[in-house]
Amino acid sequence: MTATGDTGDESDSPAGSSGSDEPAAPNAPDETGSRPPKTRIRRAVGALALLSVPVLLAAVPLVPVAALLGPAGLNVAGPGAVGGLLAAVVVGLGGSELCGPIVVDRRIARLPESELDDRPADFVADRVATLAGEVGVDAPDVTVVRADAANVAVADGYRGARLVVSTRLLSLPKADRDAALRHALVRLRTREALVATALLPALGAVETMALLATLLVGRRGERTAADRRVNRIHGYEPERERIPSWAYAIAGVALWILLLPAWIPAAVGDRLYVAGGRRDADGAVARAGAPQRDGLGNAVAFASDAAGAADWPPLLDRLSLVSMADAETGRVRGTSRQEARVRLARLRSKRTL
């Protein structure tokens, strides 16, 4: 796929131009990035909920061990348990910060290369550097991957910031492409990419266990006529199920009960911090000017409706312009299936400005 259909022959619109003279809405952040109190409270609650997930996961083995080996012996409310909880905070948050960028880098390394020539690759890097200067951040490393999803993800951490762009996104019109790239750079400026990258291992573990529990609960025990026909063709027709379906359901419910203390804050954090961060970045891009606002709306609409969502790595979903999670994963994560539509409605309303 050619990624340079409009490789900069057009002039960019001024970053500070605006398509409207109307005053900002009460709930919209201003151009400096400050947010109203309600928005700050929601984002703070979401961030705390996300930060608690790795701590809770680390507390599962550390608190019982510390309570057993601590000064108070088996007294779970004694100083041993308190020490285990403090250790869980250090190990959970520190381990997430160390492992998150490594996990993301390894996943990016497995993505198919775009096979761009030197000139298109240099143009993409130069365009990102130009937009980064307008947004006010250092230009991140750019990795262009061959993917059918029109998406872009941004990761940050001690290994440096990285932008993952699909070739299909680069094939969009110039205004749409630049608006999507600007959206990612805004999330880099507000440190949302840094937090999301650091917490990906813990959130991924919770999401995987939640998917497993859901599959166990919903496992179908009976065989249809088509199943029996296929089994007969292959010479296998068992008289009964070795493990009854109710056993799977009980195992799934038990796993869900054990997972709830970590899944609830993960779902709340996804809704308030991750999805809220995308909406805040929408507003920042929209206030850069009418072309950026329209381009971002076009990019979000195309990325959410076009085919190729299955081609985007689930691990990068929380770092991306548009969520590519399928229906099952979205329900398990607790996020709204209407997120893209809500964002488009806000972008096309006066409230964004």
Side-chain angles (χ1 to χ4, degrees):
M1 179 179 294
T2 302
T4 58
D6 49 357
T7 56
D9 293 336
E10 306 169 21
S11 60
D12 294 335
S13 298
S17 62
S18 174
S20 174
D21 295 330
E22 298 185 18
N27 291 330
D30 58 25
E31 294 179 357
T32 62
S34 61
R35 303 185 183 96
K38 290 183 179 180
T39 301
R40 288 198 297 268
I41 292 174
R42 287 197 299 267
R43 297 298 302 283
V45 171
L48 290 175
L50 288 179
L51 292 172
S52 69
V53 175
V55 175
L56 291 171
L57 295 181
V60 172
L62 291 179
V63 171
V65 170
L68 179 63
L69 302 178
L74 293 175
N75 186 359
V76 296
V82 175
L85 184 59
L86 294 177
V89 173
V90 175
V91 172
L93 296 180
S96 291
E97 185 177 358
L98 289 175
C99 296
I102 296 175
V103 171
V104 172
D105 287 350
R106 289 185 176 180
R107 185 63 186 90
I108 294 174
R110 296 200 304 268
L111 294 174
E113 296 181 359
S114 61
E115 299 177 354
L116 291 178
D117 296 333
D118 291 339
R119 183 181 178 187
D122 292 342
F123 163 74
V124 175
D126 180 72
R127 193 75 200 114
V128 170
T130 300
L131 293 173
E134 296 178 3
V135 173
V137 297
D138 295 333
D141 294 334
V142 181
T143 301
V144 183
V145 298
R146 188 174 67 254
D148 290 333
N151 215 337
V152 55
V154 58
D156 197 8
Y158 63 91
R159 290 193 167 195
R162 296 190 65 178
L163 210 62
V164 184
V165 190
S166 70
T167 50
R168 194 173 190 184
L169 178 78
L170 294 178
S171 68
L172 294 181
K174 177 180 180 295
D176 303 355
R177 176 203 66 211
D178 284 1
L181 295 175
R182 185 186 294 270
H183 187 277
L185 294 171
V186 168
R187 296 189 71 199
L188 183 64
R189 182 188 65 189
T190 56
R191 303 295 184 183
E192 294 160 12
L194 178 66
V195 175
T197 303
L199 298 177
L200 277 182
L203 296 177
V206 171
E207 185 176 324
T208 301
M209 297 302 294
L211 280 172
L212 175 60
T214 301
L215 293 175
L216 289 175
V217 171
R219 187 179 186 277
R220 182 169 52 88
E222 69 280 359
R223 299 189 307 277
T224 64
D227 296 333
R228 290 191 292 269
R229 183 167 59 251
V230 171
N231 289 338
R232 283 195 300 270
I233 292 174
H234 292 279
Y236 175 71
E237 177 60 23
E239 296 181 356
R240 60 184 178 83
E241 292 286 346
R242 294 184 178 181
I243 301 178
S245 58
W246 57 265
Y248 286 103
I250 291 176
V253 171
L255 183 57
W256 258 119
I257 292 175
L258 293 175
L259 192 63
L260 277 178
W263 177 82
I264 291 176
V268 171
D270 265 337
R271 180 68 67 89
L272 298 182
Y273 191 83
V274 177
R278 277 193 278 253
R279 289 195 300 269
D280 286 351
D282 289 345
V285 175
R287 285 186 297 278
Q292 289 84 352
R293 178 190 186 192
D294 296 338
L296 180 61
N298 294 336
V300 171
F302 184 81
S304 59
D305 294 337
D311 200 28
W312 194 248
L315 183 69
L316 301 183
D317 191 76
R318 291 181 173 89
L319 307 174
S320 302
L321 167 70
V322 174
S323 175
M324 298 269 109
D326 56 25
E328 189 70 24
T329 306
R331 285 192 292 268
V332 164
R333 191 180 294 174
T335 55
S336 172
R337 290 178 290 176
Q338 307 297 328
E339 179 186 337
R341 294 183 180 181
V342 172
R343 292 172 62 192
L344 286 174
R346 292 169 64 93
L347 279 170
R348 294 165 180 170
S349 70
K350 295 181 180 179
R351 181 180 181 182
T352 304
L353 300 177

